[in-house]
Amino acid sequence: MSNLNKKRQIKRDILNASFEAGACHIGSALSCSDILVDLFNILKKEDVFLFSKASGVAAYYAILADKGHFPKEKTAEYLKKYPLVSKEVPGVIWSGGSCGHGLPVACGLALADRMRKVYVLLSDGECQEGATYEAALFARQHKLKNLYVLIDNNGLQACGATKDILDLETAFEFLKKTLPNCKIFETIKGAGVDFMEGDFTWHYRNLTPALLARALKQI
């Protein structure tokens, strides 16, 4: 399967899983799904990955299912009942909740073993959290060159445009200067679905059967 078709498949899996689970945060999952597909194409067995963007967890579950982390007989169950705590989900080593804690945890893992690469995916909203900057300073102090920070910058968060709530322009400049391996991805919330794209309300809305069918036709 081509990389483009894989990205389409993951988006379809996100939509189906979100509908079956009666879950929201669909726009958040769609904005980071392409990042995850590309990352998991290069991720090695010895590497560590933390999904800190908790609201987009449907994308993480879809990737784990695609990569065979779930037993085949339980894949459908995992996708219908997400999110579960990490100890119940093969492939997940840490559960995110309140945003802003992924980078501190990733720093600890990178410091504990400098021979392995530690990747962490953050949302742009998480870059409004003080713990993120404390962790960035810690990473610079300890020269954590094995730490790779990926930021999903879709420009929207739960209550509106990120720039209107707490602008991150200078914050991103600080993070790129402070962290040796920090990459910011310009994405679209609800990517691929016309009625979700650029609409912050899809941080919390759920799919109806009609909207699911409409969304799937577009992917």
Side-chain angles (χ1 to χ4, degrees):
M1 182 182 293
S2 70
N3 199 47
L4 178 60
N5 285 336
K6 177 63 65 178
K7 290 178 177 179
R8 288 174 176 165
Q9 175 201 309
I10 294 299
K11 286 186 172 68
R12 293 175 67 87
D13 290 346
I14 289 168
L15 293 168
N16 284 315
S18 298
F19 177 76
E20 292 292 337
C24 56
H25 302 315
I26 306 166
S28 300
L30 290 174
S31 74
C32 69
S33 62
D34 287 355
I35 300 172
L36 290 179
V37 172
D38 289 337
L39 174 62
F40 273 73
N41 282 340
I42 64 169
L43 208 62
K44 297 179 180 179
K45 186 177 181 180
E46 62 270 21
D47 297 337
V48 176
F49 173 68
L50 295 180
F51 187 84
S52 186
K53 187 188 172 180
S55 59
V57 72
Y60 190 23
Y61 273 60
I63 286 287
L64 290 173
D66 180 69
K67 293 298 182 181
H69 285 275
F70 303 157
K72 288 185 178 180
E73 66 276 10
K74 289 189 175 182
T75 296
E77 178 184 350
Y78 282 127
L79 293 178
K80 288 180 181 179
K81 294 183 178 180
Y82 83 87
L84 300 169
V85 296
S86 60
K87 67 179 181 180
E88 298 179 11
V89 185
V92 177
I93 63 170
W94 175 76
S95 290
S98 177
C99 289
H101 300 298
L103 186 55
V105 175
C107 283
L109 292 170
L111 181 65
D113 186 350
R114 293 177 180 270
M115 298 303 294
R116 65 185 174 190
K117 292 182 179 179
V118 178
Y119 295 87
V120 59
L121 175 65
L122 309 179
S123 65
D124 48 359
E126 284 183 273
C127 295
Q128 297 168 342
E129 301 286 346
T132 298
Y133 297 92
E134 293 174 28
L137 292 171
F138 179 91
R140 181 173 65 181
Q141 175 73 20
H142 293 277
K143 298 180 174 58
L144 300 180
K145 296 181 180 180
N146 58 325
L147 175 66
Y148 294 81
V149 180
L150 315 176
I151 301 175
D152 176 8
N153 182 32
N154 62 36
L156 296 172
Q157 55 191 91
C159 298
T162 305
K163 65 180 177 62
D164 295 332
I165 296 168
L166 190 61
D167 187 56
L168 294 170
E169 185 175 347
T170 56
F172 285 155
E173 291 177 8
F174 169 81
L175 289 172
K176 287 189 290 186
K177 289 179 181 178
T178 306
L179 297 167
N181 301 304
C182 178
K183 186 169 184 179
I184 299 170
F185 296 84
E186 302 298 329
T187 64
I188 300 172
K189 199 177 188 81
V193 180
D194 62 1
F195 58 86
M196 289 188 194
E197 286 190 352
D199 185 350
F200 75 89
T201 65
W202 278 98
H203 193 83
Y204 290 123
R205 293 173 65 183
N206 301 94
L207 286 166
T208 63
L211 286 176
L212 172 65
R214 179 178 165 186
L216 288 173
K217 286 182 180 180
Q218 298 179 33
I219 301 297

